[in-house]
CSV table of all heavy atoms in Angstrom, one decimal:
chain,number,residue,atom,x,y,z
A,1,GLU,N,0.8,-1.2,0.0
A,1,GLU,CA,0.0,0.0,0.0
A,1,GLU,C,0.9,1.3,0.0
A,1,GLU,O,0.5,2.2,-0.6
A,1,GLU,CB,-0.9,0.0,1.2
A,1,GLU,CG,-2.0,1.0,1.1
A,1,GLU,CD,-2.9,1.0,-0.2
A,1,GLU,OE1,-3.2,-0.1,-0.6
A,1,GLU,OE2,-3.2,2.1,-0.7
A,2,SER,N,2.0,1.2,0.7
A,2,SER,CA,2.9,2.4,0.7
A,2,SER,C,3.5,2.6,-0.7
A,2,SER,O,3.7,3.8,-1.1
A,2,SER,CB,4.0,2.2,1.8
A,2,SER,OG,4.8,1.2,1.4
A,3,GLN,N,3.8,1.6,-1.5
A,3,GLN,CA,4.3,1.8,-2.8
A,3,GLN,C,3.2,2.4,-3.7
A,3,GLN,O,3.5,3.3,-4.5
A,3,GLN,CB,4.7,0.4,-3.4
A,3,GLN,CG,6.0,-0.1,-2.9
A,3,GLN,CD,6.3,-1.5,-3.4
A,3,GLN,OE1,5.5,-2.4,-3.3
A,3,GLN,NE2,7.5,-1.6,-3.9
A,4,ARG,N,2.0,2.0,-3.5
A,4,ARG,CA,0.9,2.5,-4.3
A,4,ARG,C,0.7,4.0,-3.9
A,4,ARG,O,0.4,4.9,-4.8
A,4,ARG,CB,-0.4,1.7,-4.1
A,4,ARG,CG,-0.3,0.4,-4.8
A,4,ARG,CD,-1.6,-0.4,-4.7
A,4,ARG,NE,-1.5,-1.7,-5.1
A,4,ARG,CZ,-1.4,-2.2,-6.3
A,4,ARG,NH1,-1.5,-1.3,-7.3
A,4,ARG,NH2,-1.2,-3.5,-6.6
A,5,ARG,N,0.7,4.3,-2.6
A,5,ARG,CA,0.6,5.7,-2.2
A,5,ARG,C,1.8,6.6,-2.7
A,5,ARG,O,1.6,7.7,-3.1
A,5,ARG,CB,0.6,5.8,-0.7
A,5,ARG,CG,-0.8,5.6,-0.1
A,5,ARG,CD,-0.9,6.0,1.3
A,5,ARG,NE,0.1,5.4,2.2
A,5,ARG,CZ,-0.1,4.2,2.8
A,5,ARG,NH1,-1.2,3.5,2.7
A,5,ARG,NH2,0.9,3.7,3.6
A,6,ALA,N,3.0,6.0,-2.8
A,6,ALA,CA,4.2,6.7,-3.3
A,6,ALA,C,3.9,7.1,-4.7
A,6,ALA,O,4.3,8.2,-5.2
A,6,ALA,CB,5.4,5.9,-3.1
A,7,PHE,N,3.3,6.2,-5.5
A,7,PHE,CA,3.1,6.5,-6.9
A,7,PHE,C,2.1,7.7,-7.0
A,7,PHE,O,2.4,8.6,-7.7
A,7,PHE,CB,2.4,5.3,-7.7
A,7,PHE,CG,1.9,5.7,-9.0
A,7,PHE,CD1,2.7,6.0,-10.1
A,7,PHE,CD2,0.5,5.8,-9.2
A,7,PHE,CE1,2.2,6.4,-11.3
A,7,PHE,CE2,0.0,6.2,-10.4
A,7,PHE,CZ,0.9,6.5,-11.5
A,8,SER,N,1.1,7.7,-6.2
A,8,SER,CA,0.1,8.8,-6.2
A,8,SER,C,0.7,10.1,-5.8
A,8,SER,O,0.3,11.2,-6.2
A,8,SER,CB,-1.1,8.5,-5.3
A,8,SER,OG,-1.7,7.3,-5.8
A,9,ALA,N,1.7,10.1,-5.0
A,9,ALA,CA,2.3,11.3,-4.4
A,9,ALA,C,3.5,11.8,-5.3
A,9,ALA,O,3.9,12.9,-5.1
A,9,ALA,CB,2.9,11.0,-3.0
A,10,LYS,N,3.9,11.1,-6.3
A,10,LYS,CA,5.0,11.5,-7.2
A,10,LYS,C,4.6,12.8,-7.9
A,10,LYS,O,3.5,12.9,-8.4
A,10,LYS,CB,5.3,10.5,-8.2
A,10,LYS,CG,6.2,9.4,-7.7
A,10,LYS,CD,6.5,8.4,-8.8
A,10,LYS,CE,7.4,7.3,-8.4
A,10,LYS,NZ,7.7,6.4,-9.4
A,11,PRO,N,5.5,13.8,-8.0
A,11,PRO,CA,5.2,15.0,-8.7
A,11,PRO,C,4.8,14.9,-10.2
A,11,PRO,O,3.9,15.5,-10.6
A,11,PRO,CB,6.4,15.9,-8.5
A,11,PRO,CG,7.5,15.0,-7.9
A,11,PRO,CD,6.9,13.7,-7.5
A,12,ASN,N,5.6,14.0,-10.9
A,12,ASN,CA,5.2,13.9,-12.3
A,12,ASN,C,4.2,12.8,-12.6
A,12,ASN,O,3.5,12.7,-13.6
A,12,ASN,CB,6.5,13.6,-13.2
A,12,ASN,CG,7.2,12.3,-12.8
A,12,ASN,OD1,6.8,11.6,-11.9
A,12,ASN,ND2,8.2,12.0,-13.6
A,13,ASN,N,4.1,11.8,-11.6
A,13,ASN,CA,3.0,10.8,-11.6
A,13,ASN,C,2.9,10.1,-13.0
A,13,ASN,O,1.8,9.9,-13.5
A,13,ASN,CB,1.7,11.4,-11.1
A,13,ASN,CG,0.8,10.4,-10.6
A,13,ASN,OD1,1.2,9.3,-10.1
A,13,ASN,ND2,-0.5,10.7,-10.6
A,14,VAL,N,4.0,9.8,-13.7
A,14,VAL,CA,3.9,9.2,-15.0
A,14,VAL,C,3.8,7.6,-14.8
A,14,VAL,O,4.6,7.1,-14.1
A,14,VAL,CB,5.1,9.5,-15.8
A,14,VAL,CG1,5.2,8.7,-17.1
A,14,VAL,CG2,5.1,11.0,-16.1
A,15,CYS,N,2.9,7.0,-15.5
A,15,CYS,CA,2.8,5.6,-15.6
A,15,CYS,C,2.5,5.2,-17.1
A,15,CYS,O,1.5,5.7,-17.6
A,15,CYS,CB,1.7,5.0,-14.7
A,15,CYS,SG,1.6,3.2,-14.8
A,16,VAL,N,3.4,4.4,-17.7
A,16,VAL,CA,3.3,4.0,-19.1
A,16,VAL,C,2.7,2.6,-19.2
A,16,VAL,O,3.3,1.7,-18.7
A,16,VAL,CB,4.7,4.1,-19.8
A,16,VAL,CG1,4.5,3.7,-21.3
A,16,VAL,CG2,5.3,5.5,-19.7
A,17,PHE,N,1.5,2.6,-19.8
A,17,PHE,CA,0.8,1.3,-20.1
A,17,PHE,C,1.5,0.7,-21.3
A,17,PHE,O,1.6,1.4,-22.3
A,17,PHE,CB,-0.6,1.5,-20.3
A,17,PHE,CG,-1.4,0.3,-20.7
A,17,PHE,CD1,-2.2,-0.4,-19.7
A,17,PHE,CD2,-1.5,-0.2,-22.0
A,17,PHE,CE1,-2.9,-1.5,-20.0
A,17,PHE,CE2,-2.3,-1.3,-22.3
A,17,PHE,CZ,-3.0,-2.0,-21.3
A,18,LEU,N,2.1,-0.5,-21.2
A,18,LEU,CA,2.8,-1.1,-22.3
A,18,LEU,C,1.8,-2.1,-23.0
A,18,LEU,O,1.5,-3.2,-22.5
A,18,LEU,CB,4.0,-1.9,-21.8
A,18,LEU,CG,5.1,-1.0,-21.2
A,18,LEU,CD1,6.2,-1.8,-20.6
A,18,LEU,CD2,5.6,0.1,-22.1
A,19,SER,N,1.4,-1.7,-24.2
A,19,SER,CA,0.5,-2.4,-25.0
A,19,SER,C,1.4,-3.3,-25.9
A,19,SER,O,2.3,-2.8,-26.5
A,19,SER,CB,-0.4,-1.5,-25.9
A,19,SER,OG,-1.1,-2.2,-26.8
A,20,HIS,N,1.0,-4.6,-26.0
A,20,HIS,CA,1.8,-5.5,-26.8
A,20,HIS,C,1.0,-6.8,-27.1
A,20,HIS,O,0.0,-7.1,-26.5
A,20,HIS,CB,3.1,-5.9,-26.1
A,20,HIS,CG,2.8,-6.7,-24.8
A,20,HIS,ND1,2.3,-6.2,-23.7
A,20,HIS,CD2,2.9,-8.1,-24.6
A,20,HIS,CE1,2.1,-7.1,-22.8
A,20,HIS,NE2,2.5,-8.3,-23.3
A,21,ILE,N,1.4,-7.5,-28.2
A,21,ILE,CA,0.8,-8.8,-28.5
A,21,ILE,C,1.5,-9.8,-27.6
A,21,ILE,O,2.7,-9.7,-27.4
A,21,ILE,CB,0.8,-9.0,-30.0
A,21,ILE,CG1,0.0,-10.3,-30.4
A,21,ILE,CG2,2.3,-9.1,-30.5
A,21,ILE,CD1,-0.2,-10.4,-31.9
A,22,SER,N,0.8,-10.8,-27.2
A,22,SER,CA,1.4,-11.7,-26.2
A,22,SER,C,2.6,-12.5,-26.7
A,22,SER,O,3.5,-12.8,-26.0
A,22,SER,CB,0.3,-12.7,-25.7
A,22,SER,OG,-0.2,-13.5,-26.8
A,23,ILE,N,2.7,-12.7,-28.0
A,23,ILE,CA,3.9,-13.3,-28.6
A,23,ILE,C,5.2,-12.5,-28.4
A,23,ILE,O,6.3,-13.0,-28.4
A,23,ILE,CB,3.7,-13.8,-30.0
A,23,ILE,CG1,4.7,-14.8,-30.4
A,23,ILE,CG2,3.7,-12.6,-31.0
A,23,ILE,CD1,4.3,-15.6,-31.7
A,24,ASP,N,5.0,-11.2,-28.2
A,24,ASP,CA,6.1,-10.3,-28.0
A,24,ASP,C,6.4,-10.0,-26.5
A,24,ASP,O,7.0,-9.0,-26.1
A,24,ASP,CB,5.9,-9.0,-28.7
A,24,ASP,CG,6.0,-9.1,-30.2
A,24,ASP,OD1,6.7,-10.0,-30.7
A,24,ASP,OD2,5.3,-8.4,-30.9
A,25,LYS,N,5.8,-10.9,-25.6
A,25,LYS,CA,5.9,-10.6,-24.2
A,25,LYS,C,7.3,-10.5,-23.7
A,25,LYS,O,7.6,-9.6,-22.8
A,25,LYS,CB,5.2,-11.8,-23.4
A,25,LYS,CG,5.3,-11.7,-21.9
A,25,LYS,CD,4.5,-12.7,-21.2
A,25,LYS,CE,5.1,-14.1,-21.4
A,25,LYS,NZ,4.5,-15.1,-20.6
A,26,ASP,N,8.3,-11.3,-24.2
A,26,ASP,CA,9.7,-11.2,-23.7
A,26,ASP,C,10.3,-9.8,-24.0
A,26,ASP,O,10.9,-9.2,-23.1
A,26,ASP,CB,10.6,-12.2,-24.4
A,26,ASP,CG,10.2,-13.6,-23.9
A,26,ASP,OD1,9.6,-13.8,-22.8
A,26,ASP,OD2,10.6,-14.6,-24.5
A,27,ALA,N,10.0,-9.2,-25.2
A,27,ALA,CA,10.5,-7.9,-25.5
A,27,ALA,C,9.8,-6.9,-24.6
A,27,ALA,O,10.4,-5.9,-24.1
A,27,ALA,CB,10.2,-7.6,-27.0
A,28,ALA,N,8.5,-7.0,-24.4
A,28,ALA,CA,7.7,-6.1,-23.5
A,28,ALA,C,8.3,-6.1,-22.1
A,28,ALA,O,8.4,-5.1,-21.5
A,28,ALA,CB,6.2,-6.4,-23.5
A,29,ILE,N,8.6,-7.3,-21.6
A,29,ILE,CA,9.2,-7.4,-20.2
A,29,ILE,C,10.5,-6.6,-20.2
A,29,ILE,O,10.8,-5.9,-19.2
A,29,ILE,CB,9.4,-8.9,-19.8
A,29,ILE,CG1,8.0,-9.5,-19.6
A,29,ILE,CG2,10.2,-9.0,-18.6
A,29,ILE,CD1,8.0,-11.0,-19.4
A,30,LYS,N,11.4,-6.9,-21.1
A,30,LYS,CA,12.7,-6.2,-21.1
A,30,LYS,C,12.6,-4.7,-21.3
A,30,LYS,O,13.3,-3.9,-20.6
A,30,LYS,CB,13.6,-6.8,-22.3
A,30,LYS,CG,14.0,-8.2,-22.1
A,30,LYS,CD,15.0,-8.3,-20.9
A,30,LYS,CE,15.5,-9.8,-20.8
A,30,LYS,NZ,16.1,-10.1,-19.6
A,31,ILE,N,11.7,-4.3,-22.1
A,31,ILE,CA,11.5,-2.8,-22.3
A,31,ILE,C,10.9,-2.2,-21.0
A,31,ILE,O,11.3,-1.2,-20.6
A,31,ILE,CB,10.6,-2.6,-23.5
A,31,ILE,CG1,11.4,-2.9,-24.8
A,31,ILE,CG2,10.1,-1.1,-23.6
A,31,ILE,CD1,10.5,-3.1,-26.1
A,32,GLY,N,9.9,-2.9,-20.4
A,32,GLY,CA,9.4,-2.5,-19.2
A,32,GLY,C,10.4,-2.4,-18.1
A,32,GLY,O,10.4,-1.4,-17.3
A,33,GLU,N,11.3,-3.4,-17.9
A,33,GLU,CA,12.3,-3.4,-16.9
A,33,GLU,C,13.2,-2.2,-17.2
A,33,GLU,O,13.7,-1.5,-16.2
A,33,GLU,CB,13.1,-4.7,-17.0
A,33,GLU,CG,12.4,-5.9,-16.4
A,33,GLU,CD,13.1,-7.2,-16.6
A,33,GLU,OE1,14.1,-7.2,-17.3
A,33,GLU,OE2,12.6,-8.2,-16.1
A,34,TYR,N,13.6,-1.9,-18.4
A,34,TYR,CA,14.4,-0.8,-18.7
A,34,TYR,C,13.8,0.5,-18.4
A,34,TYR,O,14.4,1.4,-17.7
A,34,TYR,CB,14.9,-0.8,-20.2
A,34,TYR,CG,15.8,0.3,-20.5
A,34,TYR,CD1,17.1,0.2,-20.0
A,34,TYR,CD2,15.4,1.5,-21.1
A,34,TYR,CE1,18.0,1.3,-20.2
A,34,TYR,CE2,16.3,2.5,-21.3
A,34,TYR,CZ,17.6,2.4,-20.9
A,34,TYR,OH,18.5,3.5,-21.1
A,35,ILE,N,12.5,0.7,-18.7
A,35,ILE,CA,11.8,1.9,-18.4
A,35,ILE,C,11.8,2.1,-16.9
A,35,ILE,O,12.0,3.2,-16.4
A,35,ILE,CB,10.4,2.0,-19.0
A,35,ILE,CG1,10.6,2.1,-20.6
A,35,ILE,CG2,9.6,3.1,-18.5
A,35,ILE,CD1,9.2,1.9,-21.3
A,36,MET,N,11.5,1.1,-16.1
A,36,MET,CA,11.5,1.2,-14.7
A,36,MET,C,12.8,1.5,-14.1
A,36,MET,O,12.9,2.3,-13.2
A,36,MET,CB,11.0,-0.1,-14.0
A,36,MET,CG,9.5,-0.3,-14.2
A,36,MET,SD,8.8,-1.7,-13.3
A,36,MET,CE,9.8,-3.1,-13.9
A,37,SER,N,13.9,1.0,-14.8
A,37,SER,CA,15.3,1.3,-14.3
A,37,SER,C,15.6,2.8,-14.4
A,37,SER,O,16.5,3.3,-13.7
A,37,SER,CB,16.3,0.5,-15.0
A,37,SER,OG,16.6,1.1,-16.3
A,38,THR,N,14.8,3.5,-15.2
A,38,THR,CA,15.1,5.0,-15.4
A,38,THR,C,14.2,5.8,-14.4
A,38,THR,O,14.2,7.0,-14.4
A,38,THR,CB,14.8,5.4,-16.8
A,38,THR,OG1,13.3,5.4,-17.1
A,38,THR,CG2,15.5,4.6,-17.8
C-alpha cells in the first residue's frame, strides 16, 4: 500500500501502459524493466 501511495504522491506521476501482443511478451518485459530502471 505504501508503494501505491508513493506513486500517487509523485510530482510527475507518470505511468506508461505497455500495449503488446502476447507473442512479444519477452520484449515487452525487457522494455518495461528498462523503463522502470530509469
Side-chain angles (χ1 to χ4, degrees):
E1 191 55 39
S2 64
Q3 287 173 309
R4 292 186 190 281
R5 277 195 304 272
F7 169 73
S8 298
K10 282 184 179 178
N12 63 355
N13 203 26
V14 172
C15 179
V16 180
F17 180 96
L18 297 177
S19 173
H20 65 286
I21 189 168
S22 59
I23 199 162
D24 292 330
K25 178 173 69 172
D26 291 341
I29 290 169
K30 293 292 186 192
I31 291 165
E33 288 171 352
Y34 183 73
I35 292 171
M36 288 188 301
S37 78
T38 70

